Amino acid sequence: MTEKVVRTRFAPSPTGPLHIGGVRTALFSWLLARHHGGKFILRIEDTDQKRFVEGSIELITDALSWLGIDYDEGPDKDGGYGPYVQSQRLPLYQKWAQWLIDNDKAYRCFCTSERLEQVNKEKEARKEPPGYDRFCRNLSPAEIEENLATGKPYVIRLKVPLTGQTIGHDLIRGEVVFDNDTLQDAVLLKSDGYPTYHLANVVDDHFMEISHVTRANEWIPSFPLHLILWDAFGWEKPIYAHLPVLLNPNGKGKMSKRFEAFNEDGKKILVLAKEYKDAGYLPEAMLNFMINIGWNFGDEREIFTVQEAIERFDIATVNPANSAFPIEKLDWINGVYIREKLSVEELAKRLRPVFEKAGLKVDDERLLKVVPHVQTRIKTLNEAVDVAGFFFHDTFTPPTEDMLIPKKMDKAGTRQLLEEAYKRYADVPADSFLTETLKTIGLALVSDLSLNNSQVFGVLRVAMSGQSVSTPTFETMEILGKDEALKRIKIAIDILS
RNA sequence: GGUCCCAUCGUCUAGCGGUCUAGGACAUCACCCUUUCAAGGUGAGGACACGGGUUCGAGUCCCGUUGGGAUCACCA
């Protein structure tokens, strides 16, 4: 058997930003192509003019490129099978629709949408399943001629076999059987001359020589229609793999950009690829995370590179079951990447724009000093703003009195502690104002004042940062420098005076 | 409702007839470490939806029930 070149495609509609379910579908198709050293193609399915949203294509390609899901052929990358935008291929669909009519595989339907509605209403009243009654399927040549002559608009419908079964083979779930009498004479070509998905995807997959059709399992119900079409054309079918869909983290309903969903803790569930980017997730963590849903590495490793995943990926071993989006695991993986996979310099590079976006002015030298201390403390890039943003404020925002006074201490005691601290830290030469020294003094303060570590360190932390959660106390003091540190202790004393 | 898909800890998963008193990860809890908060270490609790078959033997195969999901457009 000669190994055919593997060509897979991701075929989104330009109806807005790419959402996470789309990313997952694209990812698995891409993994499949890359595993086999094949081609991954981006095709834009814009056959519904009404739903077209300006700028969508860019939003989609931006999301893919953020994640490193690169395509070999696409609207802006010709590979000899273009154009890759369906609205630019209209004559092709029209030609093959006509071919189907000529070969008795399809027919013109002149029914108005009003009549269609009426038919469905009547069917509903009779408690029958809705669907087209095939009124135009057996129009006489004379009737057709007459309709055509009077310029009646029409659509082209597939002539579905009335009996028998259509059997599909799916790489992930095996055989899928459909009784033909439950199928519809689906519209192939709309009255505006545009194809529907059914026609367009089959024609394009054929002419683009797609070897594996990977798409979400919401397409399974129309799978038999496509199979019938392939047979009608007499073309060799590609291999199909219907991927499971992502369900909301609570397991209720699929993730969708059309309905907002919320987590147990009331946090909005992010659905757009861009929302994840903006929330401070790393693309490599995101990829690692998504590959782990519905597929697993094979041994018990949870963390691996994309390259390693490509080597092992096998679409046939994808779990056929839908899965809830395990959002907490994303946070964990993102944290792992931040603290274990990124160097200080690399993390600094990624944090810089995050701080800037928060309106802070970033000093590179200081950033490099701060980063090691936030590294183990954040799960998303954005959290760095809360933990260490104060390092980059133009003006210091002092803490309130309440924040300053720890549990089991009173105002006077806290003030006394700060005054004593001020005295001792003032004695440290500026060039020795280093973490270890500062800590030794802090410890001495603890025993001399009969306090405990968390009281002393806590008060100093709040005094330094103006917040109760921050980078570690003495590191923070060192980075701030002697002048600034003393100034802030003074401010704290004033607050308690 | 019709059709189709799916079903292992709360969640993501391993398991492809005996090695399963069901393994890993996240989350949770406890303890250790500790400078708050993290990180790290150790440990604990926690699942084969149910009922029938098939088989010497079933989480693993078959059927049914239940539950969840998808889909029923001149949208993809």
Side-chain angles (χ1 to χ4, degrees), chain A residues 20-261:
Chain A
I20 207 71
V23 169
R24 217 279 285 258
T25 304
L27 174 62
F28 278 26
S29 301
W30 177 79
L31 248 17
L32 171 63
R34 292 288 170 260
H35 174 77
H36 292 283
K39 302 276 191 229
F40 179 62
I41 292 128
L42 176 66
R43 183 172 77 213
I44 303 299
E45 309 220 326
D46 61 341
T47 55
D48 186 355
Q49 301 160 290
K50 291 186 284 291
R51 292 208 307 158
F52 181 79
V53 175
E54 194 65 47
S56 298
I57 297 178
E58 213 183 332
L59 253 23
I60 290 165
T61 54
D62 281 355
L64 293 178
S65 91
W66 172 57
L67 290 161
I69 300 175
D70 58 325
Y71 50 90
D72 304 293
E73 299 171 24
D76 54 347
K77 215 168 175 188
D78 186 31
Y81 293 85
Y84 297 88
V85 178
Q86 291 185 326
S87 60
Q88 295 167 21
R89 301 165 67 84
L90 263 25
L92 185 69
Y93 310 121
Q94 287 158 2
K95 172 186 163 187
W96 287 98
Q98 183 60 47
W99 186 93
L100 289 170
I101 291 177
D102 295 343
N103 289 273
D104 198 32
K105 307 288 190 188
Y107 61 94
R108 292 187 184 84
C109 170
F110 299 92
C111 294
T112 61
S113 47
E114 289 73 33
R115 195 186 98 77
L116 262 26
E117 249 171 71
Q118 186 59 32
V119 167
N120 272 335
K121 229 186 264 170
E122 286 166 14
K123 287 205 178 205
E124 198 187 345
R126 276 179 275 132
K127 295 211 157 78
E128 285 174 26
Y132 181 53
D133 62 358
R134 300 186 161 123
F135 179 80
C136 294
R137 181 158 166 148
N138 296 306
L139 252 32
S140 70
E143 286 171 307
I144 294 171
E145 272 316 309
E146 193 192 322
N147 283 334
L148 250 23
T150 55
K152 256 194 183 174
Y154 64 88
V155 300
I156 296 177
R157 285 182 186 272
L158 179 64
K159 215 169 195 173
V160 166
L162 270 12
T163 57
Q165 293 183 322
T166 296
I167 300 172
H169 297 275
D170 183 283
L171 212 48
I172 294 171
R173 58 206 84 221
E175 228 172 51
V176 190
V177 182
F178 302 85
D179 288 327
N180 290 154
D181 60 10
T182 64
L183 269 26
Q184 294 286 316
D185 282 359
V187 172
L188 262 20
L189 200 74
K190 301 181 251 185
S191 54
D192 62 2
Y194 276 68
T196 59
Y197 173 83
H198 307 302
L199 210 219
N201 98 86
V202 169
V203 169
D204 285 347
D205 285 342
H206 172 69
F207 287 105
M208 292 183 180
E209 293 178 31
I210 301 302
S211 64
H212 296 70
V213 174
T214 47
R215 60 195 351 180
N217 70 14
E218 55 214 18
W219 288 108
I220 292 179
S222 54
F223 189 18
L225 258 24
H226 306 149
L227 261 9
I228 290 167
L229 258 179
W230 282 102
D231 285 338
F233 283 127
W235 295 334
E236 189 191 343
K237 296 183 195 75
I239 294 166
Y240 277 88
H242 289 94
L243 300 164
V245 300
L246 259 21
L247 268 26
N248 279 315
N250 58 18
K252 294 212 185 306
K254 72 167 179 173
M255 287 187 94
S256 160
K257 55 186 170 188
R258 291 163 68 188
F259 301 100
E260 287 197 343

